[in-house]
Amino acid sequence: MTGLPDPPDRPGDPSADPHAGPSADPPADPSAGPHAGPSREDPGPHAAPGLRAYGPPPVGASAGPAPAGPSAGPPLAGPSLRLSPRVLLTEPIRTLPSLLLPLTGVLFLGGFSSGSFGWAAFGLVGSVLYAVVRWATFTYQVIGDRLELTRALIGRSVRTIPLERIRGVDVSSPPLHRLLGLAVLRIDTGAGGSKQEGELDGVTLVEAERLKAALLWHARARAARRAGARGTVAAHGDGPPGAAVTVPAGPFPGTPEPAGPSPAAAVPPVRHRTGETLPERVLFVVPRRWLAYGPLSGSYLLTPFAFVAGAAGLAFQWGSELRIDGRIVVGAGEWLWGHPLLLGGALVVLVLAMPVLGAAMYAVFNWDFTLRARDGYLVAERGLLTRRSVSLERRRVRGFELVEGLAERWAGVARAWAIVTGLGDSGTRGQLLSVIPRRAALDVVREAVGPILTGLRPHPPVARRRRLFRAVFPWLVAAACAAVAARSWPPLWWAVAAALVLAVLGVPLGLDRYRSLGHTHEGGRLSVRSGSLRRSQVVIEERAVVGWTLRQTWFQRRAGVLTVVAGVGAGSGGYAAIDVGEAQGVAFAAEVTPAWLAPFTEDAPPS
Amino acid sequence: MSDRTEQRGDTAGAGSLPGQVPLRPPANPVSRKAIVMWLLDGLFWSVLLVGGAFLLSGWIGDGRWSWLPEWLADGAGWLPALTAVLVVPAALAEPFWRYAVHRWELSGDVVYARSGWIDRQWTFVPVSRIQTVDKKQGTLERVLGLATVDIRTASHAGSSTIKGLDYGVAAALAERLAQRAEELRDDAT
């Protein structure tokens, strides 16, 4: 176990060698584990060559010798660290539920004999031992420009995460972790999927914050240096996509000509100089009374039903494991069906519970939603039991999406998401704000990302007809089908009535959908809006556009409209202006990226 | 661009006649052999569908599905014929229609492609934003000496697929795009 020699990252660095030895030793005293980083710096011998400040300036608790030249960024080799030994408590407790059933099964099968207790105890001890082995064999370490997660059990697997690929670090602490002062640190590399992402489950909160700051600082430092280097070797296009040059939102940076990089590269390194620390700034803390708006978003209203479904699923699963006969379950269901009053009562209770449980659930997840600006990152933090914090690199933010459901529009509230390049699972991670009044949301978003675009251009009246048709016609067809079938089975007349009601409701819905449609382009940014039950307006920088798709169905062709989709390498990948006039749509794309469409547009003046 | 000021009007775009997308067709047609490919493809699916309809009508005819209305069960024999009438002409027309629509062009460092038949699609992919260029060949394409060029950016909506190119043309295009993309690489996204 004492192995894990750390090959010095750069042979040329003299300070790496003497250190690699001692620091590789696992801390003998487990209690020293979690704080190994800071506390190891304290003793004299290590502090002396301590220029290798492992922590970055922002946190650097014990990193007294603040790096003289942060921008020089010496190759770093931090000590190889372990998770907090307190995970030995969380790990078995977490695996307990999955062990419980087999264990009780063993007890039952063994008829509670001493032998069966022995086996159960063996299982318990085994799980604890397993946790210990897992803890003892896992180490993590920052070496030079990468983070290495090493698991050395029989073989040795090393996951290497280049620091400059790190796009965000999430720190969250589930309830049990919280009790013990632990946290889970997730490292997002934008690789998509969990394949290349790293997870440290069970570091102390202090260590989590330190590591997060260190990782983000180094990640930024490397990226900035790379960007600077690119400036001198401009337009060589060898850097990974991560090292993107920040092109200032000039008039038309979208032009494909390479005029962009060289002048642009001169600017951003100044802004993103390594180690530059801006004071943390709280952009917004959502007041607790606004938690009341939560259930308006709709999804949380289904909480009671989700609970019931979950309970039923669990009952079935446990039922089969405990060998309860399926007929009993079916019998119970039939008995319930035979007592419609009871069933109805339960349904009423569930419906009444919708707003209450929904609000509670929403509050648990969105408690004290806080948005901060820190060091080139936007940090959104929320949650009551599990506190979740997501860091979004501002350099990668390309715009935002403002979402308002029907009820939310009635109440004048909205939600906001950031559109970030290379952010996986952006639906949950990109959220900038919980449900808050629209005006406040726009203020915060303006400060964090940019102002919203107003004065959307309307789409042609044909689009109104199309929206109406699409909102009404399917229900009419359903009504007709149900009517045919109802002639042989009368209860279906109810379905006919329901479909007709929905068809009537489709009229205002279709009209509102049309009113929502709009697109515009102004000041280097474009915006599209659509939807009624869930109206969404997207504002993105034009430099984020990577291509266009214009689509026209046969019906659209007859109506003289088409759908223009701006391909964006962020968020959902494409944002559509639905049912734009043919000339209008082409002109829109040509206006945003003139150089791309100019060679192909016909100069036929649109009447 | 010239009509930028016009867009604010409520009737913008509605004034022009339907079916008048102000884009000129891309310069290059796809290979003529693509017609053969689409034809074979269409016939394959027609056979499959008509065969399926035949089986279905056989099952219905057995009278096992008593809940079906009388007239439907009686008319089941017509199902394969009806399917054939609908599907076969479409399968025969589609290749020629597609050949008229499918075109592509690379100029001004932008790949411009048009595709579809009943529905249409125009894609514009600037070479500077290309991430990968793939050249693919399915079985049928190999037999016919055709290839598909797959041009990908960071977004599915900013990506383009050009089917039915002569292998030599596809190879040259892919090669040229990859080379040019390397020169122009723009990491803004």
Side-chain angles (χ1 to χ4, degrees):
Chain A
M1 243 340 291
T2 52
L4 311 183
D6 317 304
D9 180 42
R10 317 229 167 136
D13 178 25
S15 73
D17 263 331
H19 244 272
S23 59
D25 288 336
D29 174 9
S31 70
H35 299 287
S39 62
R40 284 180 81 82
E41 298 282 350
D42 290 342
H46 290 293
L51 263 180
R52 43 169 33 278
Y54 173 68
V59 168
S62 66
S71 49
L76 298 143
S80 103
L81 299 172
R82 289 231 160 81
L83 300 175
S84 163
R86 278 176 252 168
V87 292
L88 297 182
L89 283 173
T90 64
E91 193 88 341
I93 289 177
R94 206 179 44 180
T95 51
L96 208 58
S98 55
L99 267 175
L100 201 63
L101 281 173
L103 283 183
T104 44
V106 164
L107 285 181
F108 269 100
L109 282 181
F112 294 95
S113 65
S114 56
S116 66
F117 274 111
W119 281 111
F122 179 75
L124 271 180
V125 171
S127 77
V128 172
L129 268 181
Y130 179 67
V132 171
V133 169
R134 272 178 67 86
W135 170 77
T137 54
F138 180 76
T139 55
Y140 60 94
Q141 183 177 23
V142 177
I143 302 176
D145 54 0
R146 55 190 201 274
L147 171 70
E148 288 196 355
L149 310 179
T150 311
R151 185 170 290 288
L153 192 51
I154 297 169
R156 181 157 181 261
S157 82
V158 181
R159 172 175 295 176
T160 305
I161 301 174
L163 292 183
E164 67 177 17
R165 287 288 164 83
I166 295 177
R167 299 193 164 179
V169 178
D170 293 5
V171 176
S172 66
S173 44
L176 190 62
H177 283 65
R178 219 173 206 208
L179 215 61
L180 295 166
L182 294 179
V184 182
L185 190 101
R186 274 192 201 87
I187 297 153
D188 174 21
T189 54
S194 57
K195 209 169 45 184
Q196 281 188 38
E197 315 221 330
E199 186 183 87
L200 297 175
D201 183 353
V203 287
T204 58
L205 280 172
V206 181
E207 168 69 358
E209 282 306 320
R210 185 195 69 78
L211 196 61
K212 174 181 173 180
L215 290 178
L216 292 183
W217 184 78
H218 287 312
R220 248 162 26 85
R222 303 275 162 189
R225 206 171 318 134
R226 188 66 78 98
R230 278 171 60 88
T232 60
V233 204
H236 242 281
D238 56 340
V245 174
T246 314
V247 182
F252 289 111
T255 42
E257 291 315 312
S262 28
V267 186
V270 181
R271 262 208 293 152
H272 302 302
R273 199 85 233 173
T274 50
E276 174 197 6
T277 34
L278 296 166
E280 176 179 309
R281 201 157 51 93
V282 174
L283 291 176
F284 200 69
V285 182
V286 177
R288 288 192 188 147
R289 62 175 194 281
W290 284 355
L291 285 172
Y293 291 127
L296 291 174
S297 67
S299 54
Y300 282 96
L301 285 180
L302 296 177
T303 313
F305 296 97
F307 275 147
V308 169
L314 210 65
F316 267 106
Q317 193 189 336
W318 282 48
S320 64
E321 292 224 24
L322 294 174
R323 311 219 170 132
I324 293 175
D325 201 329
R327 271 170 298 179
I328 297 174
V329 181
V330 175
E334 277 174 351
W335 178 83
L336 209 60
W337 192 246
H339 295 68
L341 218 59
L342 206 66
L343 205 63
L347 204 65
V348 168
V349 168
L350 280 183
V351 169
L352 286 180
M354 273 167 74
V356 181
L357 268 183
M361 203 67 175
Y362 174 81
V364 165
F365 280 118
N366 291 290
W367 194 259
D368 283 349
F369 199 113
T370 309
L371 186 67
R372 292 193 184 86
R374 179 204 290 164
D375 238 8
Y377 282 82
L378 287 173
V379 184
E381 211 174 285
R382 63 175 188 266
L384 181 63
L385 297 178
T386 300
R387 196 92 181 126
R388 185 184 168 85
S389 120
V390 181
S391 308
L392 305 170
E393 197 176 354
R394 276 187 120 154
R395 208 161 50 88
R396 297 182 193 278
V397 174
R398 292 287 179 273
F400 65 91
E401 182 176 10
L402 194 77
V403 176
E404 303 151 278
L406 202 59
E408 290 171 306
R409 268 153 69 198
W410 167 75
V413 295
R415 290 164 277 167
W417 274 266
I419 295 172
V420 187
T421 59
L423 181 75
D425 189 17
S426 53
T428 47
R429 286 164 130 174
Q431 192 167 11
L432 280 182
L433 285 170
S434 53
V435 187
I436 67 169
R438 192 171 198 274
R439 184 175 305 224
L442 288 182
D443 283 345
V444 177
V445 165
R446 181 182 308 120
E447 205 178 343
V449 183
I452 196 158
L453 292 182
T454 53
L456 297 181
R457 301 163 198 173
H459 293 192
V462 206
R464 183 190 298 133
R465 206 191 67 214
R466 279 176 49 78
R467 290 301 108 194
L468 272 174
F469 182 81
R470 289 169 66 117
V472 173
F473 188 70
W475 296 115
L476 289 181
V477 170
C481 289
V484 169
R487 278 162 56 187
S488 46
W489 197 51
L492 268 181
W493 285 113
W494 281 108
V496 177
L500 285 177
V501 168
L502 285 170
V504 171
L505 286 178
V507 174
L509 180 68
L511 289 176
D512 190 55
R513 281 204 179 130
Y514 171 70
R515 263 197 302 277
S516 291
L517 292 183
H519 65 275
T520 192
H521 173 247
E522 205 180 303
R525 301 180 313 147
L526 63 143
S527 179
V528 294
R529 190 178 66 182
S530 65
S532 172
L533 297 178
R534 181 187 187 275
R535 187 172 79 176
S536 136
Q537 182 172 3
V538 169
V539 179
I540 28 176
E541 296 171 36
E542 61 187 17
R543 72 185 161 113
V545 177
V546 296
W548 293 94
T549 299
L550 277 59
R551 257 188 256 144
Q552 195 176 38
T553 64
W554 185 71
F555 293 106
Q556 279 182 316
R557 211 143 97 89
R558 301 217 4 193
V561 292
L562 43 71
T563 295
V564 178
V565 188
V568 173
S572 70
Y575 295 98
I578 300 163
D579 283 353
V580 200
E582 286 170 328
Q584 193 186 16
V586 172
F588 176 52
E591 184 186 328
V592 175
T593 53
W596 299 355
L597 267 83
F600 313 115
T601 44
E602 269 172 0
D603 289 321
S607 69
Chain B
M1 296 163 295
S2 57
D3 41 53
R4 185 185 285 206
T5 49
E6 290 223 13
Q7 301 305 315
R8 308 250 168 203
D10 198 79
T11 54
S16 57
L17 285 169
Q20 302 274 313
V21 179
L23 287 169
R24 69 171 172 77
N28 314 306
V30 296
S31 167
R32 278 192 166 277
K33 285 182 282 183
I35 300 178
V36 181
M37 180 178 72
W38 286 320
L39 208 56
L40 289 174
D41 211 40
L43 286 178
F44 172 77
W45 283 107
S46 318
V47 167
L48 214 65
L49 277 174
V50 173
F54 208 76
L55 284 177
L56 193 68
S57 75
W59 279 332
I60 295 174
D62 282 352
R64 243 172 272 161
W65 296 355
S66 54
W67 51 269
L68 279 176
E70 196 87 344
W71 55 270
L72 207 69
D74 288 345
W78 288 98
L79 195 61
L82 191 71
T83 314
V85 166
L86 286 176
V87 168
V88 173
L92 291 178
E94 182 192 342
F96 299 95
W97 199 344
R98 275 194 187 277
Y99 181 73
V101 174
H102 281 240
R103 296 177 79 88
W104 65 277
E105 181 175 346
L106 168 63
S107 62
D109 279 328
V110 176
V111 182
Y112 170 36
R114 190 174 73 177
S115 62
W117 56 306
I118 294 178
D119 297 350
R120 296 218 170 147
Q121 184 164 317
W122 296 259
T123 53
F124 299 86
V125 181
V127 176
S128 59
R129 305 299 167 96
I130 291 176
Q131 286 190 332
T132 62
V133 181
D134 294 355
K135 167 182 81 211
K136 303 187 295 194
Q137 272 189 306
T139 324
L140 208 52
E141 284 176 316
R142 285 194 76 149
V143 173
L144 293 166
L146 295 173
T148 296
V149 176
D150 219 354
I151 303 158
R152 295 201 180 279
T153 65
S155 153
H156 61 84
S159 301
S160 184
T161 303
I162 307 172
K163 290 179 182 161
L165 297 176
D166 270 317
Y167 184 80
V169 177
L173 176 65
E175 179 66 24
R176 194 163 149 218
L177 283 177
Q179 205 174 0
R180 192 78 184 115
E182 192 64 29
E183 291 166 20
L184 289 181
R185 174 68 49 105
D186 175 357
D187 282 332
T189 53

mmCIF file of all heavy atoms in Angstrom, chain A residues 552-557, chain B residues 90 94 97-98 101 115-121:
data_model
loop_
_atom_site.group_PDB
_atom_site.id
_atom_site.type_symbol
_atom_site.label_atom_id
_atom_site.label_comp_id
_atom_site.label_asym_id
_atom_site.label_seq_id
_atom_site.Cartn_x
_atom_site.Cartn_y
_atom_site.Cartn_z
ATOM 1 N N GLN A 552 -38.595 22.721 -43.786
ATOM 2 C CA GLN A 552 -39.918 23.051 -44.296
ATOM 3 C C GLN A 552 -40.674 21.771 -44.607
ATOM 4 O O GLN A 552 -40.261 21.009 -45.468
ATOM 5 C CB GLN A 552 -39.776 23.911 -45.561
ATOM 6 C CG GLN A 552 -41.041 24.600 -45.952
ATOM 7 C CD GLN A 552 -40.830 25.512 -47.136
ATOM 8 O OE1 GLN A 552 -40.077 25.185 -48.048
ATOM 9 N NE2 GLN A 552 -41.501 26.649 -47.136
ATOM 10 N N THR A 553 -41.767 21.565 -43.920
ATOM 11 C CA THR A 553 -42.597 20.414 -44.246
ATOM 12 C C THR A 553 -43.471 20.799 -45.439
ATOM 13 O O THR A 553 -43.525 21.954 -45.846
ATOM 14 C CB THR A 553 -43.508 20.030 -43.073
ATOM 15 O OG1 THR A 553 -44.404 21.111 -42.834
ATOM 16 C CG2 THR A 553 -42.717 19.759 -41.824
ATOM 17 N N TRP A 554 -44.169 19.804 -45.956
ATOM 18 C CA TRP A 554 -45.012 20.061 -47.108
ATOM 19 C C TRP A 554 -46.091 21.090 -46.760
ATOM 20 O O TRP A 554 -46.389 21.996 -47.521
ATOM 21 C CB TRP A 554 -45.646 18.741 -47.564
ATOM 22 C CG TRP A 554 -46.427 18.854 -48.804
ATOM 23 C CD1 TRP A 554 -45.926 19.042 -50.059
ATOM 24 C CD2 TRP A 554 -47.844 18.817 -48.928
ATOM 25 N NE1 TRP A 554 -46.951 19.118 -50.962
ATOM 26 C CE2 TRP A 554 -48.147 18.975 -50.282
ATOM 27 C CE3 TRP A 554 -48.891 18.659 -48.015
ATOM 28 C CZ2 TRP A 554 -49.457 18.979 -50.756
ATOM 29 C CZ3 TRP A 554 -50.179 18.653 -48.490
ATOM 30 C CH2 TRP A 554 -50.453 18.820 -49.857
ATOM 31 N N PHE A 555 -46.652 20.960 -45.555
ATOM 32 C CA PHE A 555 -47.687 21.897 -45.127
ATOM 33 C C PHE A 555 -47.116 23.304 -44.972
ATOM 34 O O PHE A 555 -47.737 24.305 -45.325
ATOM 35 C CB PHE A 555 -48.294 21.433 -43.808
ATOM 36 C CG PHE A 555 -49.074 20.160 -43.928
ATOM 37 C CD1 PHE A 555 -48.568 18.976 -43.439
ATOM 38 C CD2 PHE A 555 -50.314 20.149 -44.552
ATOM 39 C CE1 PHE A 555 -49.276 17.800 -43.566
ATOM 40 C CE2 PHE A 555 -51.039 18.986 -44.674
ATOM 41 C CZ PHE A 555 -50.514 17.799 -44.182
ATOM 42 N N GLN A 556 -45.911 23.363 -44.417
ATOM 43 C CA GLN A 556 -45.276 24.669 -44.258
ATOM 44 C C GLN A 556 -45.014 25.308 -45.615
ATOM 45 O O GLN A 556 -45.129 26.510 -45.792
ATOM 46 C CB GLN A 556 -43.958 24.521 -43.485
ATOM 47 C CG GLN A 556 -44.127 24.430 -41.987
ATOM 48 C CD GLN A 556 -42.804 24.336 -41.269
ATOM 49 O OE1 GLN A 556 -41.915 23.594 -41.692
ATOM 50 N NE2 GLN A 556 -42.654 25.064 -40.188
ATOM 51 N N ARG A 557 -44.657 24.474 -46.590
ATOM 52 C CA ARG A 557 -44.379 24.970 -47.923
ATOM 53 C C ARG A 557 -45.631 25.597 -48.522
ATOM 54 O O ARG A 557 -45.579 26.664 -49.136
ATOM 55 C CB ARG A 557 -43.940 23.810 -48.815
ATOM 56 C CG ARG A 557 -42.977 24.185 -49.875
ATOM 57 C CD ARG A 557 -41.996 23.063 -50.023
ATOM 58 N NE ARG A 557 -42.387 22.192 -51.115
ATOM 59 C CZ ARG A 557 -41.996 22.398 -52.368
ATOM 60 N NH1 ARG A 557 -41.246 23.442 -52.659
ATOM 61 N NH2 ARG A 557 -42.327 21.575 -53.306
ATOM 62 N N ALA B 90 -45.135 5.915 -54.334
ATOM 63 C CA ALA B 90 -44.257 6.785 -53.548
ATOM 64 C C ALA B 90 -42.814 6.312 -53.672
ATOM 65 O O ALA B 90 -41.892 7.108 -53.868
ATOM 66 C CB ALA B 90 -44.703 6.787 -52.088
ATOM 67 N N GLU B 94 -40.105 8.770 -55.227
ATOM 68 C CA GLU B 94 -39.172 9.360 -54.271
ATOM 69 C C GLU B 94 -37.757 9.545 -54.810
ATOM 70 O O GLU B 94 -37.194 10.635 -54.683
ATOM 71 C CB GLU B 94 -39.160 8.541 -52.979
ATOM 72 C CG GLU B 94 -38.236 9.123 -51.924
ATOM 73 C CD GLU B 94 -37.990 8.170 -50.762
ATOM 74 O OE1 GLU B 94 -38.769 7.229 -50.587
ATOM 75 O OE2 GLU B 94 -36.998 8.396 -50.045
ATOM 76 N N TRP B 97 -37.545 12.448 -57.255
ATOM 77 C CA TRP B 97 -37.832 13.685 -56.539
ATOM 78 C C TRP B 97 -36.618 14.086 -55.692
ATOM 79 O O TRP B 97 -36.170 15.226 -55.690
ATOM 80 C CB TRP B 97 -39.060 13.444 -55.652
ATOM 81 C CG TRP B 97 -39.759 14.671 -55.206
ATOM 82 C CD1 TRP B 97 -39.282 15.948 -55.233
ATOM 83 C CD2 TRP B 97 -41.075 14.752 -54.657
ATOM 84 N NE1 TRP B 97 -40.199 16.800 -54.741
ATOM 85 C CE2 TRP B 97 -41.321 16.089 -54.378
ATOM 86 C CE3 TRP B 97 -42.076 13.803 -54.363
ATOM 87 C CZ2 TRP B 97 -42.523 16.522 -53.811
ATOM 88 C CZ3 TRP B 97 -43.255 14.229 -53.810
ATOM 89 C CH2 TRP B 97 -43.475 15.578 -53.545
ATOM 90 N N ARG B 98 -36.092 13.101 -54.979
ATOM 91 C CA ARG B 98 -34.922 13.366 -54.140
ATOM 92 C C ARG B 98 -33.742 13.866 -54.982
ATOM 93 O O ARG B 98 -33.045 14.800 -54.585
ATOM 94 C CB ARG B 98 -34.498 12.099 -53.388
ATOM 95 C CG ARG B 98 -35.239 11.885 -52.102
ATOM 96 C CD ARG B 98 -34.536 10.835 -51.251
ATOM 97 N NE ARG B 98 -35.313 10.492 -50.081
ATOM 98 C CZ ARG B 98 -35.315 11.202 -48.952
ATOM 99 N NH1 ARG B 98 -34.556 12.289 -48.848
ATOM 100 N NH2 ARG B 98 -36.050 10.836 -47.945
ATOM 101 N N VAL B 101 -33.936 17.378 -55.548
ATOM 102 C CA VAL B 101 -33.799 18.253 -54.372
ATOM 103 C C VAL B 101 -32.384 18.213 -53.793
ATOM 104 O O VAL B 101 -31.797 19.246 -53.466
ATOM 105 C CB VAL B 101 -34.824 17.861 -53.281
ATOM 106 C CG1 VAL B 101 -34.590 18.674 -52.018
ATOM 107 C CG2 VAL B 101 -36.238 18.072 -53.786
ATOM 108 N N SER B 115 -31.667 18.959 -48.871
ATOM 109 C CA SER B 115 -32.075 17.554 -48.907
ATOM 110 C C SER B 115 -33.562 17.433 -48.647
ATOM 111 O O SER B 115 -34.244 18.413 -48.375
ATOM 112 C CB SER B 115 -31.274 16.737 -47.889
ATOM 113 O OG SER B 115 -31.526 17.210 -46.595
ATOM 114 N N GLY B 116 -34.063 16.197 -48.720
ATOM 115 C CA GLY B 116 -35.476 15.936 -48.492
ATOM 116 C C GLY B 116 -36.218 15.679 -49.775
ATOM 117 O O GLY B 116 -35.638 15.706 -50.858
ATOM 118 N N TRP B 117 -37.494 15.382 -49.689
ATOM 119 C CA TRP B 117 -38.330 15.326 -50.892
ATOM 120 C C TRP B 117 -39.672 15.980 -50.597
ATOM 121 O O TRP B 117 -39.886 17.103 -51.039
ATOM 122 C CB TRP B 117 -38.423 13.916 -51.477
ATOM 123 C CG TRP B 117 -38.910 12.822 -50.570
ATOM 124 C CD1 TRP B 117 -38.399 12.499 -49.353
ATOM 125 C CD2 TRP B 117 -40.001 11.952 -50.812
ATOM 126 N NE1 TRP B 117 -39.101 11.456 -48.824
ATOM 127 C CE2 TRP B 117 -40.089 11.083 -49.694
ATOM 128 C CE3 TRP B 117 -40.896 11.778 -51.856
ATOM 129 C CZ2 TRP B 117 -41.054 10.093 -49.589
ATOM 130 C CZ3 TRP B 117 -41.845 10.779 -51.762
ATOM 131 C CH2 TRP B 117 -41.922 9.945 -50.637
ATOM 132 N N ILE B 118 -40.551 15.313 -49.787
ATOM 133 C CA ILE B 118 -41.792 15.999 -49.430
ATOM 134 C C ILE B 118 -41.467 17.142 -48.474
ATOM 135 O O ILE B 118 -41.913 18.272 -48.655
ATOM 136 C CB ILE B 118 -42.784 15.014 -48.784
ATOM 137 C CG1 ILE B 118 -43.221 13.974 -49.820
ATOM 138 C CG2 ILE B 118 -43.994 15.753 -48.261
ATOM 139 C CD1 ILE B 118 -44.152 12.928 -49.277
ATOM 140 N N ASP B 119 -40.674 16.837 -47.472
ATOM 141 C CA ASP B 119 -40.156 17.876 -46.591
ATOM 142 C C ASP B 119 -38.790 18.295 -47.110
ATOM 143 O O ASP B 119 -38.106 17.506 -47.734
ATOM 144 C CB ASP B 119 -40.006 17.340 -45.166
ATOM 145 C CG ASP B 119 -41.348 16.947 -44.574
ATOM 146 O OD1 ASP B 119 -42.373 17.268 -45.199
ATOM 147 O OD2 ASP B 119 -41.350 16.330 -43.508
ATOM 148 N N ARG B 120 -38.448 19.547 -46.853
ATOM 149 C CA ARG B 120 -37.126 19.992 -47.328
ATOM 150 C C ARG B 120 -36.287 20.472 -46.170
ATOM 151 O O ARG B 120 -36.791 20.906 -45.154
ATOM 152 C CB ARG B 120 -37.311 21.147 -48.299
ATOM 153 C CG ARG B 120 -38.031 20.660 -49.476
ATOM 154 C CD ARG B 120 -37.522 21.264 -50.724
ATOM 155 N NE ARG B 120 -38.165 20.513 -51.786
ATOM 156 C CZ ARG B 120 -38.505 21.022 -52.942
ATOM 157 N NH1 ARG B 120 -38.230 22.292 -53.181
ATOM 158 N NH2 ARG B 120 -39.077 20.281 -53.840
ATOM 159 N N GLN B 121 -35.021 20.476 -46.401
ATOM 160 C CA GLN B 121 -34.103 20.926 -45.363
ATOM 161 C C GLN B 121 -32.888 21.568 -46.011
ATOM 162 O O GLN B 121 -32.314 21.029 -46.943
ATOM 163 C CB GLN B 121 -33.691 19.708 -44.541
ATOM 164 C CG GLN B 121 -32.823 20.030 -43.381
ATOM 165 C CD GLN B 121 -32.790 18.873 -42.409
ATOM 166 O OE1 GLN B 121 -33.802 18.256 -42.113
ATOM 167 N NE2 GLN B 121 -31.616 18.571 -41.909
#
